[in-house]
Structures are given as structure tokens and as C-alpha cells.
Amino acid sequence: MADPARDAGHVDAPPRVGFFTDTSVCIGCKACEVACKEWNALPEDGLSLTGMSYDNTAGLGASTWRHVAFIEQTAPEPAGVPKADGRTELPLADGGSGGGDLRWLMSSDVCKHCTHAACLDVCPTGSLFRTEFGTVVVQEDICNGCGYCVPACPYGVIEQRPSDGRAFKCTLCYDRLGAGQEPACAKACPTESIRFGPLEELRERAALRVDQLQAAGVSGARLYGADPANGVGGDGAFFLLLDEPEVYGLPPDPVVTTRDLPTMWKHAGGAALSLVGGFLLSFVLSGRPQGTARRKGRR
């Protein structure tokens, strides 16, 4: 298994830590959002209504490092409940199956702290760095506001603050980790939907939780971001979802956006060498007749 902290030069790195967010027990209280803002002294997002259920922060951003999504959908029928026999079921106005009541899917989203983080690859100042805990942190006093990290993130997490152009995102409360404390969001979660700890232990616990839910008839339960073989080498913050990732606004198959850079640089180097070789060859060939003509003139 990849160890990003040791790969980054932290020889005596402690076990990698991360988040496991179990959305099946999230109640949408937003305590994580509030705790994150309070501990990290983040500015407010405004009080405008988004029209998206009870969601007034819309998504992750420079000033929202935790975001609780509210997804309203028709609930699937409970397992073991037979369908109506001999009765005509009228479709709902939204085209749903008509098989269940309304349900809310709630999920507290956050930076994924990827094993292979493209934002690190493209940062020209070293503002983004890998910590000894395996997390990815932005140093706001070094960021020059170039914005290269923004399109590099496959999850669309990192954002520049409009007031000064610098990039911000979740630090997984790096200062608290250094003091032996858990991140503020996990500390404030009343249902333990957000779990913090060594990543390997969280993955084992998450796998058991999925088995438990599926045995109870929740067939849609699945893990997202836990697989070290996925396109980013596994996430340091992964989730238990009850529906497809797209329903939660998550990309189904994220990949490291800089994965093709070595090949691109190789092709660019080959093209540059070809241009230099062509220039030298044309210089040599163009010089031969002139030298011959000068020798004939002297005779």
C-alpha cells in the first residue's frame, strides 16, 4: 500500500490518518460545518437561499471546508415488502416509481486528501505540501494565487478566495493533529457520522458497516474512495453512500489529472530535440554550397 507521507520524505511518519464519513447516520445538523468554521476562523458564506432543500452553502469552497448536502429523492421500498397485487399504481408527477416515500440523503463532504494529489504536482511555490500524517495542506502565507491547483483537483474541492486570489481547503485540522487532537468536525458530530483515525482501521470498520447495512436490506450501501486501486490511489477521506456517487455530486471515477504529465513531457522533449536537430541539419546543409563557391572564386 502507498505511504504518501514517507514518499514525501517523512521518515518517521506516524500511521496515516483520515476521515470515514458514514452518511447512513448523518442527520444534517451541520454541526461539522459550524465547528470547522469556528476552529479555522473561516468567513461566512452569506445567508442567501440556494433553493436546494435546507442546503444554504451549496458546496465546498474557499470559505466552506465542510459541506452538508441534502438530497431529496423517492425512498426505495423496504426489503421484504410485496408489491400491490391486482391494483393499478399511478406514476408520480416526477416520473418516480411510486414505490416509496420521500427520503433525504445527507452527506458531509470534505477534501479527500488523495494519495496521489494532483494539486501538489502543479503547485509552483510549494504552498501545498504533504504532512507527516499523510494529509494535504495549503500554506496560505506562501500561496501566490496562481490558481493552478483549482482545475487540477478531480473533485473540485479547492477554490480561490475572491478577496485576494489565494487558494484554501480543508487542512484536516493540521494544528489539532499536531497537538494530539481529532479534527473539529469529527469532534462535533453528534451521531459519529464522521469518524477520524488511522486510515487502515477506518477502512476495516467501513467494510463491516457496509456488510451490516446490506444484511439489513440496504442494498445500495457502498463505499466511495476507500479503494487504494482507484484513480487517485485511494482517498484519505472516504464515504459510505446509500446511492450512486453522482447523486451526491461526486465524480464516479476520479483520476489524477496529472497522470499523463510524464508522457506529455516525454513527447514535448522529443519534439524539441527534433526541432533542434532539424535546425542544425539545415544550417550544415545551407553552409556547404557557399563554402564551395568561395573556393571556386579564389581559383
Side-chain angles (χ1 to χ4, degrees):
M1 178 183 171
D3 188 340
R6 293 184 186 277
D7 293 344
H10 299 289
V11 179
D12 298 323
R16 186 182 180 187
V17 296
F19 285 130
F20 163 45
T21 302
D22 183 353
T23 67
S24 69
V25 293
C26 178
I27 58 175
C29 67
K30 290 180 175 282
C32 53
E33 285 192 16
V34 175
C36 177
K37 277 189 172 293
E38 184 174 0
W39 180 260
N40 295 292
L42 301 180
E44 54 92 15
D45 301 287
L47 299 175
S48 59
L49 296 176
T50 64
M52 299 165 57
S53 189
Y54 289 95
D55 186 356
N56 64 339
T57 47
L60 296 173
S63 301
T64 304
W65 299 354
R66 268 280 180 190
H67 166 246
V68 179
F70 288 72
I71 300 106
E72 297 179 7
Q73 65 174 200
T74 302
E77 291 183 2
V81 177
K83 293 184 177 180
D85 187 15
R87 299 172 60 184
T88 302
E89 293 185 47
L90 299 177
L92 296 178
D94 61 358
S97 63
D101 299 326
L102 179 72
R103 73 168 179 176
W104 272 328
L105 297 179
M106 300 168 187
S107 173
S108 180
D109 197 9
V110 71
C111 171
K112 313 305 180 292
H113 297 274
C114 307
T115 299
H116 304 302
C119 57
L120 284 175
D121 296 336
V122 301
C123 181
T125 64
S127 170
L128 281 150
F129 73 101
R130 180 78 65 179
T131 74
E132 66 271 31
F133 302 104
T135 58
V136 180
V137 171
V138 185
Q139 301 174 93
E140 58 187 73
D141 56 334
I142 298 179
C143 178
N144 66 357
C146 68
Y148 293 166
C149 54
V150 176
C153 176
Y155 297 101
V157 167
I158 197 166
E159 184 187 50
Q160 293 175 274
R161 191 165 288 164
S163 58
D164 58 17
R166 291 179 298 167
F168 293 87
K169 73 170 194 68
C170 162
T171 66
L172 216 141
C173 286
Y174 184 44
D175 51 348
R176 292 177 65 92
L177 298 188
Q181 298 178 320
E182 63 181 322
C185 56
K187 182 72 174 178
C189 181
T191 63
E192 297 187 338
S193 170
I194 301 173
R195 299 289 187 95
F196 166 78
L199 200 55
E200 278 302 297
E201 293 181 14
L202 292 178
R203 285 172 174 163
E204 294 175 3
R205 178 178 297 179
L208 292 175
R209 176 62 177 162
V210 170
D211 292 341
Q212 181 187 33
L213 287 173
Q214 291 184 345
V218 186
S219 58
R222 71 202 71 188
L223 294 180
Y224 177 82
D227 185 2
N230 69 12
V232 297
D235 294 324
F238 63 97
F239 302 82
L240 188 155
L241 305 179
L242 299 180
D243 207 330
E244 298 290 339
E246 298 94 322
V247 174
Y248 296 85
L250 297 169
D253 299 303
V255 296
V256 184
T257 53
T258 54
R259 64 176 179 175
D260 295 327
L261 273 182
T263 303
M264 293 171 62
W265 281 116
K266 184 179 179 180
H267 289 314
L273 288 176
S274 299
L275 287 174
V276 172
F279 174 76
L280 292 176
L281 182 61
S282 64
F283 178 77
V284 171
L285 293 177
S286 62
R288 279 187 175 178
Q290 294 176 3
T292 303
R294 283 197 295 270
R295 284 195 295 273
K296 287 180 178 180
R298 285 197 292 272
R299 289 175 184 173

